[in-house]
Amino acid sequence: MSVFQPDVVAFLCHWCSYEAADSAGRSQNSYPAGVNIIRVMCSGRVDPCHVLHAFQKGADGVVMMGCRPGECHYKTGNIQALKRHALLLSMLKTFGIGEDRLRLAWVAAGETDRLVRIFEDMTETLRQLGPLKHS
Ligand code: FES
């Protein structure tokens, strides 16, 4: 019997979490194969439409990652991301998508292990939840 491999779309800020993912790749610190990374210049650049589109196109879960509070290169982008995350959680609820399927995290460029742990934890959570049913 095959193990369910969740599809995760991860929006990563170029300046921090994307660098951590790049570093993970260079050091062969692998993360689950179902994680599909999309690089954005800032977590504040992730529009709610991008997240909804990811779910619509078959993602079982979505991760938004940005610079730690106070470290956003564009000053307030991660605060914008925080607000959008809260908005998205309530929007997803109306579509019957549980809040465990969307995660927001702050990951600095040097936090490769933390990034891998977040991806592993998200994948395990989604594995427990099962595939997102699309109608
Ligand atoms: Fe990284 Fe804004 S530049 S979250």
Side-chain angles (χ1 to χ4, degrees), residues 45-100:
R45 180 67 184 85
V46 180
D47 189 278
C49 292
H50 299 147
V51 173
L52 296 175
H53 189 70
F55 280 117
Q56 185 187 28
K57 288 296 181 182
D60 297 299
V62 174
V63 176
M64 299 162 63
M65 281 187 185
C67 302
R68 291 185 163 280
E71 296 179 5
C72 173
H73 281 53
Y74 308 99
K75 306 292 183 204
T76 58
N78 48 7
I79 294 168
Q80 192 70 19
L82 185 64
K83 290 176 183 171
R84 287 181 177 163
H85 177 255
L87 172 70
L88 276 159
L89 288 180
S90 60
M91 288 174 76
L92 292 176
K93 200 173 182 179
T94 65
F95 296 125
I97 298 174
E99 62 182 30
D100 287 347

Side-chain angles (χ1 to χ4, degrees), residues 92-135:
L92 292 176
K93 200 173 182 179
T94 65
F95 296 125
I97 298 174
E99 62 182 30
D100 287 347
R101 293 186 184 272
L102 175 64
R103 191 170 299 186
L104 173 68
W106 313 130
V107 176
E111 295 182 305
T112 302
D113 289 344
R114 180 172 142 71
L115 172 123
V116 170
R117 276 198 310 275
I118 290 169
F119 284 160
E120 287 174 343
D121 185 63
M122 182 66 170
T123 297
E124 189 50 39
T125 297
L126 295 171
R127 200 170 273 145
Q128 299 293 324
L129 290 172
L132 181 62
K133 306 273 188 292
H134 295 274
S135 53

